[in-house]
Amino acid sequence: MPDGGARRAGIALTERQRIAWLRLIRSDNVGPVTFRELINHCGSAENALAMLPELSARGGASRAIRIATVEEAERELERAARHGARFIGIGEPDYPPALRQIEGAPPLIAAKGDLGIATRPSVGIVGSRNASISGSKFAAMIARDAGRAGYTVTSGLARGIDTAAHRASLETGTIAVLAGGLDQPYPPENVPLLEEITSGAGLAVSEMPFGWEPRARDFPRRNRLIAGISLGVVVVEAADRSGSLITARLAGDFGRLVFAVPGSPLDPRCQGTNGLLKNGAIVTTGSADVLEALAPLAQIDLFFDPAVEEPLGEGGSDMLPPPDDDVRALIASALGPTPVEIDDIIRHTGLPAASVYLVLLELDLAGRLHRHPGGMVSLAMG
């Protein structure tokens, strides 16, 4: 049985830091990877905010970068407080430890409910929105047994399998990951379920701003959080090209276990899960298949990394001098529309890694760079 009292290591952000972090991640062209690169280069979020105009201009921005204001950040913090929620930073004790380890983990997540379950080992359960009765019952069985074994159950609050998994783990602990802001749950019929989750032994989380209505492109980001929070993901009924398969692929990319429940070849809802099995997913015909495979992973210190958990202070740093135009031109010439690894850029140009990363950061803030999974980058065209 996993230890539900996992070490809550980390250092809490000051209120000043939290406002600066929120401003930085809400500013134009600043995603999770860029956020971390800025902190590494500038030493703090406050320093990064001050440097944004210069860095984006050096990258060739065609217009001034929009920087979120103190007032905007304070309003979002106040809105969160009115909804009984708070923002958790990546280095704070209540940040899910498994999520902290993925590439491009969100520097801040909004959370509402029982924060105590955020650091417990979790299993994700996802599947078809148009689930069969037997599929829903199977998902509920896995969720109940996982909860009794000490795991939280993470899912996406969708209809069907997600709903069954959440309901079956209301008493033992469940995490609902939202595609929009915490005040914009989807689908509407699961609002009462969300209220049960956040008022009991459950938690709702999102990386999106309050007031953000979920759009189609936001659901893969939600799936990424489900995969990142979980030690393993169980897929129960998933059609080809379903969102559940995105979650499974991401879980595999993160080094997590992927479980799939076999189904009838004649049922379109099972084509995706049967395909996962062909590609090496763990055959899952009962709760024991999941619990036995997860047991070696559910250790207290599996994701313990003090270097990641402690947020960087507000002190200054020895920032690199701006690269000259010849260096920028050399790096830009090595880029194109096809994604390449940053290590390849370093080898191709023969430049110091620090200089390459700094120029890529400038291009990113100028909106001239695309970041891809696996640390690959390409030049933004058009």
Side-chain angles (χ1 to χ4, degrees), residues 54-288:
E54 178 184 339
L55 289 169
S56 62
R58 282 169 18 195
S62 58
R63 58 182 177 81
I65 190 171
R66 187 198 67 83
I67 301 172
T69 66
V70 171
E71 293 73 22
E72 289 171 339
E74 289 177 339
R75 281 197 298 271
E76 189 169 358
L77 289 172
E78 291 168 2
R79 190 168 183 174
R82 288 198 304 272
H83 283 85
R86 55 165 292 197
F87 286 93
I88 306 170
I90 193 170
E92 295 193 285
D94 291 321
Y95 194 94
L99 179 62
R100 184 183 288 123
Q101 302 300 316
I102 72 170
E103 178 189 358
L108 286 171
I109 55 172
K112 178 180 180 180
D114 182 1
L115 293 176
I117 73 168
T119 55
R120 283 168 47 190
S122 181
V123 57
I125 301 178
V126 297
S128 174
R129 289 175 171 83
N130 182 31
S132 68
I133 293 174
S134 59
S136 295
K137 289 177 67 175
F138 191 88
M141 179 189 71
I142 297 289
R144 277 192 298 271
D145 291 345
R148 291 175 186 140
Y151 296 90
T152 62
V153 171
T154 300
S155 198
L157 200 70
R159 304 177 184 94
I161 297 300
D162 290 22
T163 296
H166 284 309
R167 287 203 176 280
S169 53
L170 281 172
E171 294 184 3
T172 54
T174 186
I175 299 175
V177 184
L178 275 60
L182 288 185
D183 56 345
Q184 299 291 329
Y186 181 87
E189 61 262 36
N190 273 353
V191 170
L193 173 59
L194 180 62
E195 292 173 352
E196 286 187 73
I197 291 170
T198 57
S199 62
L203 186 68
V205 299
S206 173
E207 64 176 309
M208 304 307 289
F210 274 78
W212 187 277
E213 294 186 11
R215 298 166 293 182
R217 68 185 186 202
D218 297 321
F219 288 91
R221 296 179 65 163
R222 178 206 62 178
N223 298 343
R224 191 169 185 273
L225 293 192
I226 295 171
I229 290 170
S230 308
L231 298 181
V233 171
V234 183
V235 184
V236 185
E237 295 185 344
D240 281 337
R241 298 185 296 277
S242 72
S244 299
L245 298 186
I246 295 175
T247 309
R249 175 180 57 78
L250 291 167
D253 290 345
F254 299 153
R256 310 298 157 79
L257 298 180
V258 178
F259 304 87
V261 180
S264 169
L266 301 177
D267 189 343
R269 290 172 295 198
C270 299
Q271 290 179 359
T273 46
N274 289 340
L276 288 174
L277 293 170
K278 292 178 181 178
N279 290 318
I282 299 171
V283 178
T284 305
T285 58
S287 301

Side-chain angles (χ1 to χ4, degrees), residues 361-378:
L361 176 60
E362 294 172 352
L363 292 171
D364 194 1
L365 292 171
R368 298 178 58 200
L369 190 78
H370 284 317
R371 293 191 184 270
H372 303 268
M376 302 182 79
V377 295
S378 66

